[in-house]
Structures are given as C-alpha cells and as structure tokens.
Amino acid sequence: KGRAPPPVVDLVVASPLTRALQTATAVFGCNEPESPNLVAVEALREFCSKDFQPCDSRRDPKDLAASFPHATFAHVPAGPDTLLGPGVVETAESADNRIRWLLSWIRSRPETNIACVGHFQILSRVLSGHMEPAGWDASQHDPLSNLDVRSVPILFE
C-alpha cells in the first residue's frame, strides 16, 4: 500500500530462496492467469561471504516446486544447498561467476522486460560491480532498500 504498481514485465526471474519467490509471486501475480512466467535461478540468491545465515540457505528445488508450482526450477541445482551452510560460505569469485552467468542468460532471453527479484548483497554487487562498467552510475541513485524496485535499462551489443 502506498507504493506505485510494479512495472509490466514479460518474465520474472527470482532467487530460489523462499522469501524471494514469495515476493515475486505477490508483487507480479505470477500464480495468476495471464501473469508473467516465474523462473528461479541460483544466480540471484543472496551472497554471504562472512557468516552462515540459515535464512540465506535454499531448500531443495523439489520442495520449492511443491510450494511454488507456478515457478520453473530448471536453473537451480538439484539437492541440498552447496553454496552456504554451517562452516561453508561463498567466495566473491563464485558470486561474480553467478552474476556473469545471469547477465549472459538474460541476454539470451527473447523477452525485453525482465524483472529480477533478489537480495540486497547480490543485487548491490550486480549494480556496482557489473553494471557500472556498462554505464550504470550508482551514485545517481539511493541505496537499495527492502522491496525496492529499480528499472535498469540494459543494452546488450
């Protein structure tokens, strides 16, 4: 309430963490008829380089599919989470590889308006480390906040 409606999109891509799938479904109506498809991708999940946070672990895609039957999980590895767990944290190099995969995958898509629903750390890394070389000037925008919507035009050449 009190927010502008979400942009009209052709596809919604979301982190496979439950809270992101819930947000994508609620904001873009992905479980409604005539709604955009929802695709979960491992590349958008949160990046935690310091401490294990159980809320940043993902569930097995089979369990997620039962909770989100309207979503596709082809880009989420089968089985338990291997990027994060007790005593296991992801490296920055791994997160950057995920981001490069994400941008390449988006580039290959036929849709032109794609929403990405993710988390603070990974989206901040996308915008600052991977979009600035393409002309995105983060200094011209407020810092990301919870349930923030940003329109970021990307021209792939």
Side-chain angles (χ1 to χ4, degrees), residues 43-50 90-100 102-103 118-134 136 138 144:
L44 270 172
R45 64 175 294 175
E46 186 60 299
F47 170 57
C48 303
S49 64
K50 295 182 181 173
E90 184 179 21
T91 66
E93 181 181 2
S94 172
D96 289 336
N97 286 338
R98 288 194 288 126
I99 293 167
R100 283 189 288 278
L102 174 69
L103 294 174
H119 312 278
F120 179 81
Q121 293 295 334
I122 196 69
L123 291 176
S124 294
R125 195 169 190 89
V126 167
L127 292 174
S128 66
H130 295 267
M131 296 305 296
E132 281 184 352
W136 173 261
L144 290 173

PDB file of all heavy atoms in Angstrom, residues 43-50 90-100 102-103 118-134 136 138 144:
ATOM      1  N   ALA A  43      21.604 -18.049  -9.618  1.00  0.00           N
ATOM      2  CA  ALA A  43      22.459 -16.872  -9.761  1.00  0.00           C
ATOM      3  C   ALA A  43      21.972 -15.664  -8.972  1.00  0.00           C
ATOM      4  O   ALA A  43      22.773 -14.798  -8.621  1.00  0.00           O
ATOM      5  CB  ALA A  43      22.582 -16.502 -11.241  1.00  0.00           C
ATOM      6  N   LEU A  44      20.685 -15.582  -8.653  1.00  0.00           N
ATOM      7  CA  LEU A  44      20.155 -14.415  -7.944  1.00  0.00           C
ATOM      8  C   LEU A  44      20.073 -14.593  -6.435  1.00  0.00           C
ATOM      9  O   LEU A  44      19.660 -13.682  -5.732  1.00  0.00           O
ATOM     10  CB  LEU A  44      18.760 -14.055  -8.472  1.00  0.00           C
ATOM     11  CG  LEU A  44      18.729 -13.086  -9.629  1.00  0.00           C
ATOM     12  CD1 LEU A  44      17.328 -12.951 -10.183  1.00  0.00           C
ATOM     13  CD2 LEU A  44      19.284 -11.730  -9.234  1.00  0.00           C
ATOM     14  N   ARG A  45      20.475 -15.741  -5.948  1.00  0.00           N
ATOM     15  CA  ARG A  45      20.364 -15.936  -4.499  1.00  0.00           C
ATOM     16  C   ARG A  45      21.347 -15.040  -3.767  1.00  0.00           C
ATOM     17  O   ARG A  45      22.295 -14.516  -4.354  1.00  0.00           O
ATOM     18  CB  ARG A  45      20.562 -17.391  -4.138  1.00  0.00           C
ATOM     19  CG  ARG A  45      21.941 -17.894  -4.472  1.00  0.00           C
ATOM     20  CD  ARG A  45      22.162 -19.264  -4.024  1.00  0.00           C
ATOM     21  NE  ARG A  45      22.133 -19.304  -2.571  1.00  0.00           N
ATOM     22  CZ  ARG A  45      22.210 -20.403  -1.874  1.00  0.00           C
ATOM     23  NH1 ARG A  45      22.286 -21.556  -2.479  1.00  0.00           N
ATOM     24  NH2 ARG A  45      22.216 -20.372  -0.569  1.00  0.00           N
ATOM     25  N   GLU A  46      21.110 -14.828  -2.494  1.00  0.00           N
ATOM     26  CA  GLU A  46      21.932 -13.906  -1.719  1.00  0.00           C
ATOM     27  C   GLU A  46      23.389 -14.334  -1.676  1.00  0.00           C
ATOM     28  O   GLU A  46      23.699 -15.525  -1.761  1.00  0.00           O
ATOM     29  CB  GLU A  46      21.376 -13.787  -0.292  1.00  0.00           C
ATOM     30  CG  GLU A  46      22.056 -12.748   0.568  1.00  0.00           C
ATOM     31  CD  GLU A  46      21.982 -11.327   0.037  1.00  0.00           C
ATOM     32  OE1 GLU A  46      22.501 -11.067  -1.069  1.00  0.00           O
ATOM     33  OE2 GLU A  46      21.418 -10.468   0.723  1.00  0.00           O
ATOM     34  N   PHE A  47      24.271 -13.351  -1.571  1.00  0.00           N
ATOM     35  CA  PHE A  47      25.711 -13.579  -1.426  1.00  0.00           C
ATOM     36  C   PHE A  47      26.088 -13.278   0.016  1.00  0.00           C
ATOM     37  O   PHE A  47      25.899 -12.163   0.494  1.00  0.00           O
ATOM     38  CB  PHE A  47      26.490 -12.670  -2.386  1.00  0.00           C
ATOM     39  CG  PHE A  47      27.973 -12.658  -2.133  1.00  0.00           C
ATOM     40  CD1 PHE A  47      28.701 -13.830  -2.164  1.00  0.00           C
ATOM     41  CD2 PHE A  47      28.624 -11.475  -1.869  1.00  0.00           C
ATOM     42  CE1 PHE A  47      30.072 -13.829  -1.932  1.00  0.00           C
ATOM     43  CE2 PHE A  47      29.993 -11.449  -1.648  1.00  0.00           C
ATOM     44  CZ  PHE A  47      30.717 -12.633  -1.677  1.00  0.00           C
ATOM     45  N   CYS A  48      26.580 -14.261   0.701  1.00  0.00           N
ATOM     46  CA  CYS A  48      27.008 -14.124   2.103  1.00  0.00           C
ATOM     47  C   CYS A  48      28.443 -14.595   2.199  1.00  0.00           C
ATOM     48  O   CYS A  48      28.704 -15.796   2.157  1.00  0.00           O
ATOM     49  CB  CYS A  48      26.125 -14.957   3.017  1.00  0.00           C
ATOM     50  SG  CYS A  48      24.397 -14.541   2.903  1.00  0.00           S
ATOM     51  N   SER A  49      29.360 -13.667   2.333  1.00  0.00           N
ATOM     52  CA  SER A  49      30.777 -14.033   2.317  1.00  0.00           C
ATOM     53  C   SER A  49      31.394 -14.146   3.697  1.00  0.00           C
ATOM     54  O   SER A  49      32.556 -14.517   3.806  1.00  0.00           O
ATOM     55  CB  SER A  49      31.556 -13.004   1.502  1.00  0.00           C
ATOM     56  OG  SER A  49      31.476 -11.740   2.136  1.00  0.00           O
ATOM     57  N   LYS A  50      30.651 -13.840   4.748  1.00  0.00           N
ATOM     58  CA  LYS A  50      31.267 -13.808   6.073  1.00  0.00           C
ATOM     59  C   LYS A  50      30.743 -14.883   7.010  1.00  0.00           C
ATOM     60  O   LYS A  50      31.499 -15.679   7.522  1.00  0.00           O
ATOM     61  CB  LYS A  50      31.070 -12.438   6.700  1.00  0.00           C
ATOM     62  CG  LYS A  50      31.801 -11.348   5.941  1.00  0.00           C
ATOM     63  CD  LYS A  50      31.627 -10.020   6.602  1.00  0.00           C
ATOM     64  CE  LYS A  50      32.356  -8.962   5.770  1.00  0.00           C
ATOM     65  NZ  LYS A  50      32.117  -7.641   6.243  1.00  0.00           N
ATOM     66  N   GLU A  90      30.309 -18.656   0.574  1.00  0.00           N
ATOM     67  CA  GLU A  90      30.651 -18.495  -0.839  1.00  0.00           C
ATOM     68  C   GLU A  90      31.764 -17.465  -1.010  1.00  0.00           C
ATOM     69  O   GLU A  90      31.812 -16.460  -0.305  1.00  0.00           O
ATOM     70  CB  GLU A  90      29.403 -18.049  -1.609  1.00  0.00           C
ATOM     71  CG  GLU A  90      29.625 -17.951  -3.094  1.00  0.00           C
ATOM     72  CD  GLU A  90      28.362 -17.527  -3.841  1.00  0.00           C
ATOM     73  OE1 GLU A  90      27.453 -16.946  -3.225  1.00  0.00           O
ATOM     74  OE2 GLU A  90      28.315 -17.780  -5.059  1.00  0.00           O
ATOM     75  N   THR A  91      32.618 -17.675  -1.991  1.00  0.00           N
ATOM     76  CA  THR A  91      33.663 -16.701  -2.301  1.00  0.00           C
ATOM     77  C   THR A  91      33.104 -15.612  -3.212  1.00  0.00           C
ATOM     78  O   THR A  91      32.109 -15.812  -3.917  1.00  0.00           O
ATOM     79  CB  THR A  91      34.854 -17.371  -3.018  1.00  0.00           C
ATOM     80  OG1 THR A  91      34.403 -17.841  -4.306  1.00  0.00           O
ATOM     81  CG2 THR A  91      35.424 -18.519  -2.206  1.00  0.00           C
ATOM     82  N   ALA A  92      33.772 -14.465  -3.204  1.00  0.00           N
ATOM     83  CA  ALA A  92      33.384 -13.377  -4.097  1.00  0.00           C
ATOM     84  C   ALA A  92      33.505 -13.807  -5.554  1.00  0.00           C
ATOM     85  O   ALA A  92      32.675 -13.449  -6.394  1.00  0.00           O
ATOM     86  CB  ALA A  92      34.245 -12.143  -3.818  1.00  0.00           C
ATOM     87  N   GLU A  93      34.514 -14.593  -5.861  1.00  0.00           N
ATOM     88  CA  GLU A  93      34.706 -15.090  -7.228  1.00  0.00           C
ATOM     89  C   GLU A  93      33.509 -15.932  -7.672  1.00  0.00           C
ATOM     90  O   GLU A  93      33.036 -15.809  -8.805  1.00  0.00           O
ATOM     91  CB  GLU A  93      35.989 -15.910  -7.319  1.00  0.00           C
ATOM     92  CG  GLU A  93      36.266 -16.444  -8.704  1.00  0.00           C
ATOM     93  CD  GLU A  93      37.546 -17.279  -8.759  1.00  0.00           C
ATOM     94  OE1 GLU A  93      38.199 -17.483  -7.732  1.00  0.00           O
ATOM     95  OE2 GLU A  93      37.865 -17.734  -9.867  1.00  0.00           O
ATOM     96  N   SER A  94      33.012 -16.763  -6.781  1.00  0.00           N
ATOM     97  CA  SER A  94      31.841 -17.586  -7.098  1.00  0.00           C
ATOM     98  C   SER A  94      30.621 -16.707  -7.346  1.00  0.00           C
ATOM     99  O   SER A  94      29.868 -16.933  -8.299  1.00  0.00           O
ATOM    100  CB  SER A  94      31.570 -18.562  -5.948  1.00  0.00           C
ATOM    101  OG  SER A  94      30.349 -19.235  -6.132  1.00  0.00           O
ATOM    102  N   ALA A  95      30.411 -15.695  -6.506  1.00  0.00           N
ATOM    103  CA  ALA A  95      29.270 -14.789  -6.692  1.00  0.00           C
ATOM    104  C   ALA A  95      29.388 -14.047  -8.023  1.00  0.00           C
ATOM    105  O   ALA A  95      28.400 -13.903  -8.750  1.00  0.00           O
ATOM    106  CB  ALA A  95      29.178 -13.805  -5.534  1.00  0.00           C
ATOM    107  N   ASP A  96      30.590 -13.580  -8.355  1.00  0.00           N
ATOM    108  CA  ASP A  96      30.793 -12.883  -9.626  1.00  0.00           C
ATOM    109  C   ASP A  96      30.554 -13.808 -10.815  1.00  0.00           C
ATOM    110  O   ASP A  96      30.003 -13.381 -11.833  1.00  0.00           O
ATOM    111  CB  ASP A  96      32.187 -12.270  -9.687  1.00  0.00           C
ATOM    112  CG  ASP A  96      32.329 -11.081  -8.755  1.00  0.00           C
ATOM    113  OD1 ASP A  96      31.298 -10.452  -8.409  1.00  0.00           O
ATOM    114  OD2 ASP A  96      33.478 -10.774  -8.366  1.00  0.00           O
ATOM    115  N   ASN A  97      30.934 -15.066 -10.693  1.00  0.00           N
ATOM    116  CA  ASN A  97      30.641 -16.030 -11.756  1.00  0.00           C
ATOM    117  C   ASN A  97      29.136 -16.218 -11.923  1.00  0.00           C
ATOM    118  O   ASN A  97      28.642 -16.327 -13.047  1.00  0.00           O
ATOM    119  CB  ASN A  97      31.315 -17.376 -11.473  1.00  0.00           C
ATOM    120  CG  ASN A  97      32.801 -17.338 -11.707  1.00  0.00           C
ATOM    121  OD1 ASN A  97      33.311 -16.497 -12.443  1.00  0.00           O
ATOM    122  ND2 ASN A  97      33.519 -18.235 -11.057  1.00  0.00           N
ATOM    123  N   ARG A  98      28.413 -16.266 -10.812  1.00  0.00           N
ATOM    124  CA  ARG A  98      26.949 -16.382 -10.891  1.00  0.00           C
ATOM    125  C   ARG A  98      26.358 -15.175 -11.600  1.00  0.00           C
ATOM    126  O   ARG A  98      25.460 -15.304 -12.437  1.00  0.00           O
ATOM    127  CB  ARG A  98      26.331 -16.492  -9.491  1.00  0.00           C
ATOM    128  CG  ARG A  98      26.573 -17.795  -8.802  1.00  0.00           C
ATOM    129  CD  ARG A  98      25.671 -17.981  -7.594  1.00  0.00           C
ATOM    130  NE  ARG A  98      26.007 -17.155  -6.450  1.00  0.00           N
ATOM    131  CZ  ARG A  98      25.170 -16.339  -5.817  1.00  0.00           C
ATOM    132  NH1 ARG A  98      23.927 -16.203  -6.225  1.00  0.00           N
ATOM    133  NH2 ARG A  98      25.550 -15.647  -4.760  1.00  0.00           N
ATOM    134  N   ILE A  99      26.865 -13.995 -11.281  1.00  0.00           N
ATOM    135  CA  ILE A  99      26.346 -12.766 -11.899  1.00  0.00           C
ATOM    136  C   ILE A  99      26.639 -12.759 -13.398  1.00  0.00           C
ATOM    137  O   ILE A  99      25.768 -12.398 -14.202  1.00  0.00           O
ATOM    138  CB  ILE A  99      26.927 -11.521 -11.206  1.00  0.00           C
ATOM    139  CG1 ILE A  99      26.391 -11.433  -9.772  1.00  0.00           C
ATOM    140  CG2 ILE A  99      26.600 -10.253 -11.999  1.00  0.00           C
ATOM    141  CD1 ILE A  99      27.117 -10.428  -8.897  1.00  0.00           C
ATOM    142  N   ARG A 100      27.837 -13.146 -13.782  1.00  0.00           N
ATOM    143  CA  ARG A 100      28.159 -13.196 -15.219  1.00  0.00           C
ATOM    144  C   ARG A 100      27.240 -14.183 -15.934  1.00  0.00           C
ATOM    145  O   ARG A 100      26.773 -13.910 -17.039  1.00  0.00           O
ATOM    146  CB  ARG A 100      29.636 -13.538 -15.431  1.00  0.00           C
ATOM    147  CG  ARG A 100      30.556 -12.360 -15.168  1.00  0.00           C
ATOM    148  CD  ARG A 100      31.987 -12.630 -15.593  1.00  0.00           C
ATOM    149  NE  ARG A 100      32.680 -13.555 -14.726  1.00  0.00           N
ATOM    150  CZ  ARG A 100      33.260 -13.217 -13.581  1.00  0.00           C
ATOM    151  NH1 ARG A 100      33.235 -11.972 -13.168  1.00  0.00           N
ATOM    152  NH2 ARG A 100      33.877 -14.132 -12.855  1.00  0.00           N
ATOM    153  N   LEU A 102      24.198 -14.987 -14.993  1.00  0.00           N
ATOM    154  CA  LEU A 102      22.876 -14.351 -15.017  1.00  0.00           C
ATOM    155  C   LEU A 102      22.757 -13.358 -16.168  1.00  0.00           C
ATOM    156  O   LEU A 102      21.785 -13.395 -16.935  1.00  0.00           O
ATOM    157  CB  LEU A 102      22.602 -13.646 -13.689  1.00  0.00           C
ATOM    158  CG  LEU A 102      21.311 -12.826 -13.631  1.00  0.00           C
ATOM    159  CD1 LEU A 102      20.094 -13.731 -13.665  1.00  0.00           C
ATOM    160  CD2 LEU A 102      21.308 -11.941 -12.386  1.00  0.00           C
ATOM    161  N   LEU A 103      23.723 -12.472 -16.300  1.00  0.00           N
ATOM    162  CA  LEU A 103      23.659 -11.469 -17.364  1.00  0.00           C
ATOM    163  C   LEU A 103      23.710 -12.125 -18.747  1.00  0.00           C
ATOM    164  O   LEU A 103      23.002 -11.690 -19.666  1.00  0.00           O
ATOM    165  CB  LEU A 103      24.778 -10.441 -17.193  1.00  0.00           C
ATOM    166  CG  LEU A 103      24.647  -9.565 -15.942  1.00  0.00           C
ATOM    167  CD1 LEU A 103      25.880  -8.689 -15.786  1.00  0.00           C
ATOM    168  CD2 LEU A 103      23.373  -8.740 -15.967  1.00  0.00           C
ATOM    169  N   GLY A 118      15.648 -10.390  -6.121  1.00  0.00           N
ATOM    170  CA  GLY A 118      16.773 -10.969  -5.403  1.00  0.00           C
ATOM    171  C   GLY A 118      16.922 -10.367  -4.027  1.00  0.00           C
ATOM    172  O   GLY A 118      15.946  -9.997  -3.380  1.00  0.00           O
ATOM    173  N   HIS A 119      18.175 -10.222  -3.618  1.00  0.00           N
ATOM    174  CA  HIS A 119      18.501  -9.818  -2.256  1.00  0.00           C
ATOM    175  C   HIS A 119      19.543  -8.709  -2.271  1.00  0.00           C
ATOM    176  O   HIS A 119      20.256  -8.514  -3.249  1.00  0.00           O
ATOM    177  CB  HIS A 119      19.035 -11.021  -1.474  1.00  0.00           C
ATOM    178  CG  HIS A 119      18.168 -12.226  -1.631  1.00  0.00           C
ATOM    179  ND1 HIS A 119      17.037 -12.428  -0.896  1.00  0.00           N
ATOM    180  CD2 HIS A 119      18.259 -13.277  -2.483  1.00  0.00           C
ATOM    181  CE1 HIS A 119      16.468 -13.567  -1.261  1.00  0.00           C
ATOM    182  NE2 HIS A 119      17.187 -14.095  -2.235  1.00  0.00           N
ATOM    183  N   PHE A 120      19.635  -8.008  -1.164  1.00  0.00           N
ATOM    184  CA  PHE A 120      20.458  -6.809  -1.062  1.00  0.00           C
ATOM    185  C   PHE A 120      21.899  -7.014  -1.531  1.00  0.00           C
ATOM    186  O   PHE A 120      22.386  -6.273  -2.380  1.00  0.00           O
ATOM    187  CB  PHE A 120      20.435  -6.283   0.381  1.00  0.00           C
ATOM    188  CG  PHE A 120      21.279  -5.058   0.553  1.00  0.00           C
ATOM    189  CD1 PHE A 120      20.797  -3.816   0.186  1.00  0.00           C
ATOM    190  CD2 PHE A 120      22.570  -5.152   1.061  1.00  0.00           C
ATOM    191  CE1 PHE A 120      21.574  -2.680   0.325  1.00  0.00           C
ATOM    192  CE2 PHE A 120      23.356  -4.023   1.206  1.00  0.00           C
ATOM    193  CZ  PHE A 120      22.855  -2.779   0.844  1.00  0.00           C
ATOM    194  N   GLN A 121      22.597  -7.984  -0.961  1.00  0.00           N
ATOM    195  CA  GLN A 121      24.025  -8.130  -1.262  1.00  0.00           C
ATOM    196  C   GLN A 121      24.272  -8.495  -2.722  1.00  0.00           C
ATOM    197  O   GLN A 121      25.145  -7.918  -3.371  1.00  0.00           O
ATOM    198  CB  GLN A 121      24.671  -9.177  -0.346  1.00  0.00           C
ATOM    199  CG  GLN A 121      24.722  -8.780   1.107  1.00  0.00           C
ATOM    200  CD  GLN A 121      25.603  -7.570   1.374  1.00  0.00           C
ATOM    201  OE1 GLN A 121      26.538  -7.266   0.637  1.00  0.00           O
ATOM    202  NE2 GLN A 121      25.285  -6.852   2.428  1.00  0.00           N
ATOM    203  N   ILE A 122      23.522  -9.433  -3.246  1.00  0.00           N
ATOM    204  CA  ILE A 122      23.774  -9.854  -4.632  1.00  0.00           C
ATOM    205  C   ILE A 122      23.361  -8.753  -5.614  1.00  0.00           C
ATOM    206  O   ILE A 122      24.074  -8.470  -6.582  1.00  0.00           O
ATOM    207  CB  ILE A 122      23.125 -11.214  -4.977  1.00  0.00           C
ATOM    208  CG1 ILE A 122      23.729 -11.794  -6.272  1.00  0.00           C
ATOM    209  CG2 ILE A 122      21.620 -11.132  -5.075  1.00  0.00           C
ATOM    210  CD1 ILE A 122      25.150 -12.240  -6.176  1.00  0.00           C
ATOM    211  N   LEU A 123      22.234  -8.094  -5.361  1.00  0.00           N
ATOM    212  CA  LEU A 123      21.808  -7.027  -6.279  1.00  0.00           C
ATOM    213  C   LEU A 123      22.736  -5.822  -6.188  1.00  0.00           C
ATOM    214  O   LEU A 123      23.029  -5.190  -7.206  1.00  0.00           O
ATOM    215  CB  LEU A 123      20.356  -6.630  -5.997  1.00  0.00           C
ATOM    216  CG  LEU A 123      19.327  -7.702  -6.354  1.00  0.00           C
ATOM    217  CD1 LEU A 123      17.929  -7.257  -5.935  1.00  0.00           C
ATOM    218  CD2 LEU A 123      19.367  -8.047  -7.830  1.00  0.00           C
ATOM    219  N   SER A 124      23.228  -5.500  -4.997  1.00  0.00           N
ATOM    220  CA  SER A 124      24.208  -4.416  -4.873  1.00  0.00           C
ATOM    221  C   SER A 124      25.465  -4.755  -5.654  1.00  0.00           C
ATOM    222  O   SER A 124      26.052  -3.903  -6.324  1.00  0.00           O
ATOM    223  CB  SER A 124      24.560  -4.185  -3.399  1.00  0.00           C
ATOM    224  OG  SER A 124      23.440  -3.715  -2.699  1.00  0.00           O
ATOM    225  N   ARG A 125      25.877  -6.012  -5.596  1.00  0.00           N
ATOM    226  CA  ARG A 125      27.065  -6.453  -6.334  1.00  0.00           C
ATOM    227  C   ARG A 125      26.823  -6.391  -7.849  1.00  0.00           C
ATOM    228  O   ARG A 125      27.708  -6.003  -8.612  1.00  0.00           O
ATOM    229  CB  ARG A 125      27.442  -7.866  -5.889  1.00  0.00           C
ATOM    230  CG  ARG A 125      28.804  -8.301  -6.294  1.00  0.00           C
ATOM    231  CD  ARG A 125      29.198  -9.600  -5.593  1.00  0.00           C
ATOM    232  NE  ARG A 125      30.591  -9.863  -5.832  1.00  0.00           N
ATOM    233  CZ  ARG A 125      31.587  -9.431  -5.070  1.00  0.00           C
ATOM    234  NH1 ARG A 125      31.316  -8.728  -3.996  1.00  0.00           N
ATOM    235  NH2 ARG A 125      32.829  -9.705  -5.380  1.00  0.00           N
ATOM    236  N   VAL A 126      25.627  -6.769  -8.286  1.00  0.00           N
ATOM    237  CA  VAL A 126      25.294  -6.675  -9.708  1.00  0.00           C
ATOM    238  C   VAL A 126      25.405  -5.221 -10.167  1.00  0.00           C
ATOM    239  O   VAL A 126      26.053  -4.912 -11.169  1.00  0.00           O
ATOM    240  CB  VAL A 126      23.867  -7.210  -9.994  1.00  0.00           C
ATOM    241  CG1 VAL A 126      23.415  -6.829 -11.386  1.00  0.00           C
ATOM    242  CG2 VAL A 126      23.801  -8.715  -9.803  1.00  0.00           C
ATOM    243  N   LEU A 127      24.764  -4.322  -9.421  1.00  0.00           N
ATOM    244  CA  LEU A 127      24.726  -2.924  -9.839  1.00  0.00           C
ATOM    245  C   LEU A 127      26.085  -2.242  -9.747  1.00  0.00           C
ATOM    246  O   LEU A 127      26.466  -1.500 -10.647  1.00  0.00           O
ATOM    247  CB  LEU A 127      23.695  -2.155  -9.017  1.00  0.00           C
ATOM    248  CG  LEU A 127      22.238  -2.553  -9.267  1.00  0.00           C
ATOM    249  CD1 LEU A 127      21.319  -1.840  -8.298  1.00  0.00           C
ATOM    250  CD2 LEU A 127      21.832  -2.285 -10.704  1.00  0.00           C
ATOM    251  N   SER A 128      26.827  -2.494  -8.676  1.00  0.00           N
ATOM    252  CA  SER A 128      28.095  -1.777  -8.517  1.00  0.00           C
ATOM    253  C   SER A 128      29.243  -2.432  -9.275  1.00  0.00           C
ATOM    254  O   SER A 128      30.038  -1.743  -9.894  1.00  0.00           O
ATOM    255  CB  SER A 128      28.454  -1.645  -7.038  1.00  0.00           C
ATOM    256  OG  SER A 128      28.714  -2.914  -6.475  1.00  0.00           O
ATOM    257  N   GLY A 129      29.340  -3.734  -9.238  1.00  0.00           N
ATOM    258  CA  GLY A 129      30.490  -4.389  -9.830  1.00  0.00           C
ATOM    259  C   GLY A 129      30.325  -4.806 -11.270  1.00  0.00           C
ATOM    260  O   GLY A 129      31.313  -4.995 -11.972  1.00  0.00           O
ATOM    261  N   HIS A 130      29.089  -4.948 -11.715  1.00  0.00           N
ATOM    262  CA  HIS A 130      28.877  -5.499 -13.054  1.00  0.00           C
ATOM    263  C   HIS A 130      28.124  -4.554 -13.990  1.00  0.00           C
ATOM    264  O   HIS A 130      28.225  -4.705 -15.199  1.00  0.00           O
ATOM    265  CB  HIS A 130      28.154  -6.847 -12.955  1.00  0.00           C
ATOM    266  CG  HIS A 130      28.993  -7.879 -12.275  1.00  0.00           C
ATOM    267  ND1 HIS A 130      29.804  -8.740 -12.963  1.00  0.00           N
ATOM    268  CD2 HIS A 130      29.176  -8.158 -10.960  1.00  0.00           C
ATOM    269  CE1 HIS A 130      30.448  -9.510 -12.105  1.00  0.00           C
ATOM    270  NE2 HIS A 130      30.084  -9.187 -10.887  1.00  0.00           N
ATOM    271  N   MET A 131      27.373  -3.622 -13.437  1.00  0.00           N
ATOM    272  CA  MET A 131      26.640  -2.691 -14.295  1.00  0.00           C
ATOM    273  C   MET A 131      27.356  -1.359 -14.460  1.00  0.00           C
ATOM    274  O   MET A 131      27.169  -0.687 -15.462  1.00  0.00           O
ATOM    275  CB  MET A 131      25.229  -2.456 -13.746  1.00  0.00           C
ATOM    276  CG  MET A 131      24.359  -3.712 -13.740  1.00  0.00           C
ATOM    277  SD  MET A 131      24.223  -4.536 -15.344  1.00  0.00           S
ATOM    278  CE  MET A 131      23.411  -3.288 -16.291  1.00  0.00           C
ATOM    279  N   GLU A 132      28.177  -0.966 -13.503  1.00  0.00           N
ATOM    280  CA  GLU A 132      28.899   0.297 -13.638  1.00  0.00           C
ATOM    281  C   GLU A 132      29.776   0.334 -14.887  1.00  0.00           C
ATOM    282  O   GLU A 132      29.790   1.345 -15.583  1.00  0.00           O
ATOM    283  CB  GLU A 132      29.696   0.615 -12.373  1.00  0.00           C
ATOM    284  CG  GLU A 132      28.805   1.179 -11.287  1.00  0.00           C
ATOM    285  CD  GLU A 132      29.560   1.606 -10.040  1.00  0.00           C
ATOM    286  OE1 GLU A 132      30.775   1.347  -9.928  1.00  0.00           O
ATOM    287  OE2 GLU A 132      28.907   2.191  -9.165  1.00  0.00           O
ATOM    288  N   PRO A 133      30.482  -0.760 -15.225  1.00  0.00           N
ATOM    289  CA  PRO A 133      31.261  -0.722 -16.470  1.00  0.00           C
ATOM    290  C   PRO A 133      30.386  -0.530 -17.717  1.00  0.00           C
ATOM    291  O   PRO A 133      30.867  -0.087 -18.751  1.00  0.00           O
ATOM    292  CB  PRO A 133      31.961  -2.089 -16.505  1.00  0.00           C
ATOM    293  CG  PRO A 133      32.005  -2.531 -15.084  1.00  0.00           C
ATOM    294  CD  PRO A 133      30.746  -1.982 -14.467  1.00  0.00           C
ATOM    295  N   ALA A 134      29.097  -0.843 -17.591  1.00  0.00           N
ATOM    296  CA  ALA A 134      28.186  -0.686 -18.728  1.00  0.00           C
ATOM    297  C   ALA A 134      27.465   0.657 -18.699  1.00  0.00           C
ATOM    298  O   ALA A 134      26.550   0.889 -19.479  1.00  0.00           O
ATOM    299  CB  ALA A 134      27.163  -1.827 -18.735  1.00  0.00           C
ATOM    300  N   TRP A 136      26.035   2.192 -15.743  1.00  0.00           N
ATOM    301  CA  TRP A 136      25.168   2.439 -14.587  1.00  0.00           C
ATOM    302  C   TRP A 136      25.949   3.258 -13.562  1.00  0.00           C
ATOM    303  O   TRP A 136      27.047   2.887 -13.165  1.00  0.00           O
ATOM    304  CB  TRP A 136      24.725   1.114 -13.975  1.00  0.00           C
ATOM    305  CG  TRP A 136      23.967   1.241 -12.689  1.00  0.00           C
ATOM    306  CD1 TRP A 136      24.473   1.084 -11.430  1.00  0.00           C
ATOM    307  CD2 TRP A 136      22.589   1.536 -12.520  1.00  0.00           C
ATOM    308  NE1 TRP A 136      23.497   1.251 -10.493  1.00  0.00           N
ATOM    309  CE2 TRP A 136      22.324   1.542 -11.139  1.00  0.00           C
ATOM    310  CE3 TRP A 136      21.543   1.807 -13.404  1.00  0.00           C
ATOM    311  CZ2 TRP A 136      21.064   1.798 -10.610  1.00  0.00           C
ATOM    312  CZ3 TRP A 136      20.290   2.052 -12.880  1.00  0.00           C
ATOM    313  CH2 TRP A 136      20.054   2.053 -11.517  1.00  0.00           C
ATOM    314  N   ALA A 138      25.776   4.282  -9.961  1.00  0.00           N
ATOM    315  CA  ALA A 138      25.094   4.046  -8.687  1.00  0.00           C
ATOM    316  C   ALA A 138      25.012   5.306  -7.844  1.00  0.00           C
ATOM    317  O   ALA A 138      24.095   5.443  -7.026  1.00  0.00           O
ATOM    318  CB  ALA A 138      25.804   2.935  -7.917  1.00  0.00           C
ATOM    319  N   LEU A 144      19.933   0.683  -2.194  1.00  0.00           N
ATOM    320  CA  LEU A 144      18.823  -0.272  -2.233  1.00  0.00           C
ATOM    321  C   LEU A 144      18.168  -0.371  -0.870  1.00  0.00           C
ATOM    322  O   LEU A 144      18.828  -0.218   0.157  1.00  0.00           O
ATOM    323  CB  LEU A 144      19.326  -1.654  -2.649  1.00  0.00           C
ATOM    324  CG  LEU A 144      19.783  -1.818  -4.091  1.00  0.00           C
ATOM    325  CD1 LEU A 144      20.403  -3.194  -4.280  1.00  0.00           C
ATOM    326  CD2 LEU A 144      18.629  -1.624  -5.044  1.00  0.00           C
TER     327      LEU A 144
END
